[in-house]
């Protein structure tokens, strides 16, 4: 019996059994192999609801059944937005086939890669501008990747973790800094990928007047517990 992960009350989860029809015209049935966890956004739902809610959105699976008019073969790996569920029915046009040479975990990044690309397009950084990315988790690293592939080379990453700073440099960032060491009013564009109130606050402090910012991360709950080291007192 197919199942999907559901949060029924604050921090209460269950595997809900579901009944699925056979694929209809233009549809495929996909069995989940992996689903990615978005810690900030899913914790937000698990805490605040609405209840009940389904969880997850990035899924890699394999096609197990197709309708006759679909151009996908059984056995093809695909990316979907099924979430944390064992099986789902999808329109064939809404699944992304995965080439054989792409590993499963890398393929799972395609949806967030698209999301970061759309966020970057909203603030349209130009090749000569200075861009600051707060956070070097998956969102931040994908943002660095997309920025540098668009020809934006002056990218700095704000990240407290040493290993993540090293990854940011490997992904193409020009510099990676710990919090509290960057100049104020020095960056033209900011991308918030930290999911932390203090990280977002510091990012804003480093943007020049009239600078542009896009929030890509979820989970910026409440106020910072203390003023970041680089934030001036009011």
């Amino acid at each position: 019996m197919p199942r999907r992960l559901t949060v029924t009350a604050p921090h209460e989860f269950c595997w809900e059994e579901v009944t699925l029809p056979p694929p209809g015209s233009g549809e495929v049935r996909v069995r989940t192999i992996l689903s990615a966890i978005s810690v900030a956004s899913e914790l937000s739902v698990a805490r605040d609801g609405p209840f009940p809610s389904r969880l997850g959105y990035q899924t890699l699976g394999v096609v197990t059944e197709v309708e006759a008019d679909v151009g996908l073969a059984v056995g093809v790996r695909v990316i979907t937005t099924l979430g944390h569920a064992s099986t789902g029915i999808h329109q064939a046009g809404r699944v992304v086939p995965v080439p054989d040479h792409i590993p499963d975990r890398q393929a799972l990044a395609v949806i967030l890669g698209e999301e970061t690309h759309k966020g970057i397009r909203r603030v349209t950084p130009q090749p000569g501008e200075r861009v600051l990315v707060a956070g070097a988790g998956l969102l931040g690293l994908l943002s660095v990747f997309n920025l540098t592939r668009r020809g934006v080379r002056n990218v700095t990453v704000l990240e407290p973790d040493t290993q993540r700073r090293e990854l940011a440099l490997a992904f193409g960032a020009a510099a990676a800094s710990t919090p509290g060491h960057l100049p104020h009013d020095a960056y033209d564009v900011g991308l918030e990928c930290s999911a932390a109130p203090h990280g977002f606050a510091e990012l804003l402090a480093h943007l020049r007047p009239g600078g542009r910012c896009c929030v890509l991360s979820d989970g910026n709950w409440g106020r910072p517990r203390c003023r970041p080291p680089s934030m001036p007192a009011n």
Side-chain angles (χ1 to χ4, degrees):
M1 175 69 72
R3 297 183 177 185
R4 62 187 177 211
L5 185 61
T6 303
V7 57
T8 57
H11 305 294
E12 293 185 10
F13 305 88
C14 74
W15 284 105
E16 177 187 3
E17 293 188 347
V18 295
T19 300
L20 296 176
S25 177
E27 292 181 333
V28 298
R29 184 183 183 103
V30 177
R31 175 176 55 82
T32 298
I33 298 174
L34 293 173
S35 62
I37 296 173
S38 176
V39 175
S41 61
E42 292 183 48
L43 281 179
S44 177
V45 174
R47 185 190 65 178
D48 299 324
F51 305 110
S53 288
R54 303 174 188 176
L55 294 175
Y57 60 96
Q58 299 176 97
T59 310
L60 180 140
V62 60
V63 175
T64 60
E65 190 177 352
V66 300
E67 183 60 23
D69 58 347
V70 171
L72 287 173
V74 170
V76 171
R77 288 183 306 154
V78 293
I79 296 294
T80 78
T81 54
L82 178 61
H84 306 317
S86 61
T87 305
I89 304 294
H90 303 272
Q91 285 291 326
R94 297 185 63 83
V95 303
V96 181
V98 178
D100 291 340
H101 68 281
I102 303 295
D104 289 349
R105 292 179 181 271
Q106 290 184 20
L108 261 181
V110 69
I111 293 176
L112 284 183
E114 179 190 22
E115 292 301 310
T116 58
H117 178 65
K118 289 191 291 188
I120 290 168
R121 289 178 61 189
R122 297 284 291 182
V123 289
T124 58
Q126 301 302 306
E129 291 187 305
R130 301 185 68 184
V131 179
L132 181 61
V133 178
L138 182 57
L139 273 175
L141 293 174
L142 289 171
S143 295
V144 171
F145 181 89
N146 282 326
L147 283 164
T148 54
R149 272 57 182 184
R150 288 171 61 96
V152 181
R153 299 298 176 186
N154 199 344
V155 178
T156 299
V157 171
L158 184 65
E159 169 59 55
D161 184 82
T162 300
Q163 291 185 329
R164 287 187 172 192
R165 290 198 303 274
E166 292 173 353
L167 280 172
L169 295 173
F171 268 64
S177 174
T178 56
H181 295 90
L182 294 176
H184 289 281
D185 303 338
Y187 294 88
D188 303 290
V189 177
L191 295 173
E192 160 51 22
C193 303
S194 72
H198 59 273
F200 187 27
E202 182 164 354
L203 172 72
L204 295 177
H206 295 310
L207 295 182
R208 65 170 177 78
R212 309 179 310 278
C213 182
C214 180
V215 178
L216 291 169
S217 63
D218 293 322
N220 286 290
W221 309 321
R223 299 178 180 178
R225 294 181 179 179
C226 61
R227 189 175 69 249
S230 66
M231 289 287 288
N234 291 327

